Amino acid sequence: MSSDTPPPMPDFPPPAPPARKQPRNWVVITSAAAVIAAVIGTGLFVVNSRGDESKPAATTAASSAPDEDAVPTAEESEPDPVYADVDADSFDIELRTTEKQCFGSAGCNVTVEPKLTYVGLSEDLDPDAVYEITYEIRGDESGPVIETAELSEQTSLTYTPTSISTASSGTKVSVKITDVTTRGY
């Protein structure tokens, strides 16, 4: 053999480099599930740590001083409304005659309704309270008649018209507030 001749070719092809294995589906699915679980767990931790104000937060002495630039919340900046103390002197009352039937010297049958006026501003009254205003009607031949009206939502008055019998057509009918109670806070 001479040195000028190339070596003979082998009868089979040269060995191929080892093939890279493709990851199996279960490995990919398991890895994706682990990543999703980690993201959800981190999100829950962050949400719970921000939203749970009932637990005391660990603070240092330097961070516990109030921040002068902080904006107060609605609860801190708006005080509870203060409403007027209401009593019998808080209202003026008159009677409005809605029916009157007289029988000569025998007297009259009269139907009256209260006409109430609050002395202050209606905004001073608690809108959630019901004020029970008791009043006494004088002029009935049997004696004084006691009635109660209810004032709610600051301006809504509920009452029952009152029928009385007077001794004569000249009998003067009068009214006076005797008590005011508040309920429904």
Side-chain angles (χ1 to χ4, degrees):
M1 296 209 178
S2 77
S3 63
D4 291 335
T5 60
M9 293 295 276
D11 293 339
F12 55 91
R20 187 169 182 189
K21 292 184 178 180
Q22 294 291 329
R24 297 183 182 231
N25 286 342
W26 66 272
V27 172
V28 172
I29 292 172
T30 304
S31 298
V35 168
I36 291 171
V39 168
I40 291 173
T42 303
L44 289 174
F45 176 77
V46 169
V47 167
N48 285 336
S49 67
R50 287 186 182 172
D52 191 7
E53 296 176 7
S54 63
K55 296 179 184 175
T59 60
T60 62
S63 68
S64 64
D67 186 7
E68 292 180 19
D69 295 333
V71 176
T73 63
E75 292 175 355
E76 294 171 347
S77 64
E78 293 181 21
D80 289 337
V82 177
Y83 299 108
D85 290 329
V86 179
D87 60 11
D89 293 331
S90 301
F91 296 92
D92 287 332
I93 190 169
E94 296 177 5
L95 289 176
R96 180 176 153 242
T97 302
T98 57
E99 291 181 38
K100 186 174 186 177
Q101 184 177 14
C102 293
F103 306 101
S105 63
C108 300
N109 289 335
V110 181
T111 302
V112 293
E113 297 177 350
K115 183 178 171 189
L116 276 166
T117 306
Y118 179 62
V119 176
L121 299 173
S122 64
E123 291 84 24
D124 293 342
L125 297 173
D126 184 350
D128 297 324
V130 175
Y131 300 96
E132 293 179 346
I133 303 155
T134 303
Y135 54 97
E136 180 179 284
I137 301 171
R138 293 189 172 261
D140 186 75
E141 63 185 352
S142 300
V145 176
I146 306 293
E147 293 285 352
T148 301
E150 289 186 350
L151 178 66
S152 59
E153 299 174 357
Q154 297 174 322
T155 58
S156 180
L157 185 65
T158 305
Y159 58 87
T160 302
T162 305
S163 294
I164 60 171
S165 296
T166 63
S168 70
S169 60
T171 303
K172 183 176 173 170
V173 179
S174 64
V175 64
K176 177 184 174 186
I177 296 176
T178 58
D179 188 35
V180 175
T181 58
T182 306
R183 65 176 170 86
Y185 284 171

